[in-house]
Amino acid sequence: MDTEIVNDKENVVLTEAEVVEKVLQFAKLELKYLNPNVQQVYFDQQLQNDDLKLVELNQAVTTHVENGGKLIIKGNDTDNCVMCTEDQTFEVKDTEISNSLLLVPGLNAECERDTYSGELSLRRSEVAAVSHNYLELRPIRPKMNAITALLSPSTYEGPEYEENVRDKFTMDDLLQTIAASDLEIHECLKSMKIVELDGFVRLIDFDYLSRVIGSVTALLDENSWHFDSFSRKETLEVLKSLYPAALLDFVLKSYGAPQSEECGDMWSLSEDKVRSDICKHLHNIELPGKHFSICFVK
């Protein structure tokens, strides 16, 4: 039943539907051209303006969320806030607008088109919040030097130096702290001298890494094993008393590869990768007034 409304000026009683029709007449809008399903918007007594934030999403991110994907906000007191999917990072910018955005739960913005048959269908909707800004997402390339800054103080230099190491980080710590998507963090770690030791992600000191590489090549020479064909399992077994197993495994995977999928234990080591890495490291060392030469002997 329509609610009755008293129009004091004309001293008559009008239903809500009749009020709507009069408003449309004043606006010079013909009912036959309008959808007869009318939604009446009212303001709630307690607006939730501070409880809600609007975020503008592009189609790809919208689809990602609709398919059950996550949007994760990262940042700290010194970094700008970012929002991440599993594989992409977005800068978050607070954008102000001059218009008022009304948030109306359950508002049917695409109601079925009906033909006006002389009667209006009224539906009451309440505004839950009013916003004058929204969060805009812009894709960016995250600054990955934060990983080096975070891990450098705990660089692994050997067991004899472990007593002085503080503030070690797990992989979960990195994923929560670094302002980048999980995939971008993992891809960056692949390009760095990173090994997970005892549950902590550690940068490896290159001089110590060179010792490990030297021990591997010395073992190959001692047993007359060829660089292109040696037992990975036996190499790990012999050297595990000198170095962490995870570090030995890292060296073999970084500078070598299995000969084939069928012979997973038979490994080959790339002399070119070893030489290239050592030369690159020496190139970055500053030795004022000194010169040196490198010779590789087979």
Side-chain angles (χ1 to χ4, degrees), residues 112-127:
E112 184 180 352
R113 175 70 187 181
D114 292 330
T115 303
Y116 180 66
S117 59
E119 184 176 351
L120 294 175
S121 174
L122 304 182
R123 177 182 176 183
R124 181 186 179 95
S125 299
E126 291 189 346
V127 177

Side-chain angles (χ1 to χ4, degrees), residues 245-260:
L247 183 53
L248 290 168
D249 190 55
F250 168 79
V251 168
L252 293 181
K253 289 180 178 179
S254 297
Y255 299 98
Q259 284 187 327
S260 66

